[in-house]
Amino acid sequence: MRPINLVLLGPPGSGKGTQAELLRDELRFQHYSTGEVFRDHIKRKTTVGLEVEEYVISGRLVPDEVVLEVVNAFLAEHAGKPVVFDGFPRTIPQAEGLDQVLGGHDQNVDCAVLIDLSDEEVVKRLTSRRQCRKCRKIYNLYFMPPEVAGKCDECGGELYQRDDDKEETIRDRLGVYHSQTEPLVEFYQDKSVLERIPGEIGRDRVFTDLKQLIGTLSPDPDQEQPGI
Ligand code: ADP
Ligand code: ZN
């Protein structure tokens, strides 16, 4: 497959992380989630971790320079592979920064997919989200409950509610999304790489639509017309 750089846009809780995991498992994309990267730094108490901790806990955006620093480090190693960016870029400067870094590797954002969801649905979904402490798998008490309450199906780890999934924090994150991240929809629309999928159709149908989209981006090389 030709190396595709895919950006997933959408409010918190729209299922970006879930779709990115499916793309990783089924289509061998590198899944790059800045949120996961930051949580990992915080857990390991690295310099970056200490720098970003209060932002992540309160649901505010980490400063663009810090975000671009970790993305740079990632792309230095992985540019040229199919990558799905989940939770990044979150601001116009981050999107411009991404274009710049990718450009340095002769790459660009091939497609930005907006998984759209209403604020009401976001709040309902996120207050019922739980994550495994050990393997990080994400559950939802409504849509994807674990077999045994409070326990991870995969590894038996304890399920917990992330601090940034409490209702008040979710309202704050939605405010941040609308003011800082939503402008990216127009940014990518102007570059003619924006696609939209309604989040309400559910995980499986969103994934079907996504795969179809990716198929149109990466035609089977055997079927390509030879150049004249
Ligand atoms: P979500 O549940 O919305 O997908 P993430 O796991 O992506 O949340 O991110 C959790 C937190 O990490 C954010 O609320 C923010 O503080 C920080 N963060 C993650 N990615 C970025 C980014 N690209 N720019 C700024 N802050 C970020
Ligand atoms: Zn687990």
Side-chain angles (χ1 to χ4, degrees):
M1 185 165 74
R2 166 174 93 80
I4 288 175
N5 294 292
L6 187 72
V7 165
L8 292 183
L9 292 175
S14 55
K16 301 185 297 287
T18 309
Q19 297 299 328
E21 278 174 18
L22 290 168
L23 290 174
R24 179 195 61 204
D25 294 347
E26 283 198 26
L27 299 181
R28 303 216 186 154
F29 272 80
Q30 300 284 318
H31 173 194
Y32 191 69
S33 155
T34 39
E36 279 303 322
V37 169
F38 290 142
R39 279 188 286 280
D40 183 58
H41 274 285
I42 291 169
K43 206 170 125 194
R44 291 188 288 121
K45 299 195 190 323
T46 65
T47 315
V48 170
L50 298 174
E51 221 174 327
V52 304
E53 185 161 21
E54 57 168 291
Y55 293 99
V56 173
I57 288 174
S58 63
R60 280 177 303 140
L61 290 187
V62 169
D64 292 334
E65 312 82 66
V66 183
V67 179
L68 284 169
E69 191 185 309
V70 298
V71 172
N72 253 311
F74 168 77
L75 283 173
E77 212 177 313
H78 296 283
K81 299 176 188 166
V83 179
V84 52
F85 294 96
D86 158 22
F88 169 85
R90 285 270 230 286
T91 64
I92 297 277
Q94 287 181 22
E96 289 168 346
L98 176 62
D99 281 346
Q100 207 173 7
V101 189
L102 284 175
H105 296 280
D106 272 332
Q107 310 261 318
N108 56 282
V109 171
D110 297 278
C111 190
V113 181
L114 171 65
I115 306 176
D116 217 352
L117 205 63
S118 69
D119 286 11
E120 235 167 285
E121 191 63 22
V122 165
V123 171
K124 185 175 146 202
R125 282 190 183 191
L126 286 189
T127 47
S128 57
R129 183 157 83 168
R130 298 291 182 273
Q131 187 166 24
C132 173
R133 270 195 207 283
K134 246 164 123 184
C135 75
R136 303 285 175 101
K137 189 179 157 86
I138 292 185
Y139 293 84
N140 188 293
L141 302 183
Y142 287 121
F143 315 112
M144 234 213 312
E147 275 168 35
V148 180
K151 260 197 178 179
C152 177
D153 294 346
E154 304 288 325
C155 75
E158 182 203 350
L159 302 188
Y160 77 111
Q161 182 175 42
R162 276 167 30 192
D163 284 339
D164 58 348
D165 280 344
K166 309 262 152 87
E167 176 151 0
E168 211 185 284
T169 317
I170 291 166
R171 297 274 175 203
D172 290 346
R173 284 161 71 201
L174 271 171
V176 173
Y177 171 74
H178 290 306
S179 64
Q180 310 257 51
T181 308
E182 224 169 17
L184 290 177
V185 173
E186 215 179 296
F187 178 90
Y188 286 116
Q189 205 158 26
D190 288 347
K191 293 181 182 288
S192 307
V193 293
L194 186 80
E195 300 285 345
R196 296 168 191 262
I197 300 177
E200 304 92 61
I201 63 178
R203 184 192 105 130
D204 293 349
R205 287 176 57 199
V206 170
F207 189 54
T208 305
D209 285 6
L210 254 181
K211 277 192 292 195
Q212 210 164 36
L213 251 171
I214 290 165
T216 65
L217 294 173
S218 144
D220 184 342
D222 294 340
Q223 314 247 317
E224 258 172 338
Q225 298 293 327
I228 304 167

